[in-house]
Amino acid sequence: MRQRAVFNTNKKKMSKNTLSAQFRRVDVDALDEDNFKEPDIESSSASGNKAEALKIILQNPPLSNSRDVKSQVFAAVLKILMSHKSADIDNSIRGLSEHEVDTLVKYIYRGFAEAKDSSCGPLLAWHEKAVAVGGLGSIVRTLTSLKTV
């Protein structure tokens, strides 16, 4: 007895959506570490507008996994934080959005992790003011975030 091969005669066409590019919502080129452009904070900080320099650098933190790029941006953020006077911290933080405050808290925690003796006091002052503006939610969002700075 011979067995017959059974083929599906109801050929269905592939979905039309497979040819669509609408599902591609992530710009992978933006995640490439070679395309990261460091914000122009030198001109803002040189002109004395440290709050504007802080806002610029917190708007676009590096998303790549390159430790070199992240270290360069961290050094710039730390330089800006240390150059602030304690009386100006409140005004600088109040001008930040919620996302920028969360990013600032990430940089503060990284500063605690890589602490030097001279940076602990100012970082504690920044942390106090950032939590006063962002609330405990900024701490929780920072600790549960998968993106590091």
Side-chain angles (χ1 to χ4, degrees), residues 40-41 43-59 77 79-81 83-85 87-97 100 104 126:
D40 186 24
I41 58 164
S43 62
S44 296
S45 62
S47 67
N49 195 354
K50 295 177 182 93
E52 183 65 28
L54 182 65
K55 186 169 182 65
I56 289 171
I57 203 164
L58 292 177
Q59 285 174 349
V77 170
K79 180 179 174 184
I80 292 171
L81 294 181
S83 67
H84 266 75
K85 295 180 182 174
D88 297 335
I89 294 175
D90 276 333
N91 293 334
S92 295
I93 291 180
R94 295 213 187 278
L96 299 176
S97 69
E100 293 164 347
L104 175 64
W126 275 97

Side-chain angles (χ1 to χ4, degrees), residues 4-34:
R4 287 180 134 178
V6 178
F7 294 104
N8 188 358
T9 58
N10 291 336
K11 292 183 179 179
K12 293 184 179 179
K13 293 183 179 181
M14 288 184 67
S15 174
K16 292 180 183 178
N17 289 336
T18 58
L19 300 177
S20 174
Q22 291 179 353
F23 67 93
R24 297 181 187 134
R25 297 180 193 266
V26 176
D27 183 14
V28 293
D29 292 331
L31 301 176
D32 187 14
E33 62 193 46
D34 296 331

Side-chain angles (χ1 to χ4, degrees), residues 51-109:
E52 183 65 28
L54 182 65
K55 186 169 182 65
I56 289 171
I57 203 164
L58 292 177
Q59 285 174 349
N60 188 19
L63 298 175
S64 70
N65 289 329
S66 172
R67 296 301 284 160
D68 294 335
V69 173
K70 288 183 178 184
S71 294
Q72 290 173 353
V73 175
F74 171 68
V77 170
L78 197 60
K79 180 179 174 184
I80 292 171
L81 294 181
M82 296 302 129
S83 67
H84 266 75
K85 295 180 182 174
S86 59
D88 297 335
I89 294 175
D90 276 333
N91 293 334
S92 295
I93 291 180
R94 295 213 187 278
L96 299 176
S97 69
E98 180 180 288
H99 174 69
E100 293 164 347
V101 171
D102 292 350
T103 305
L104 175 64
V105 172
K106 287 180 185 181
Y107 280 114
I108 291 171
Y109 285 167

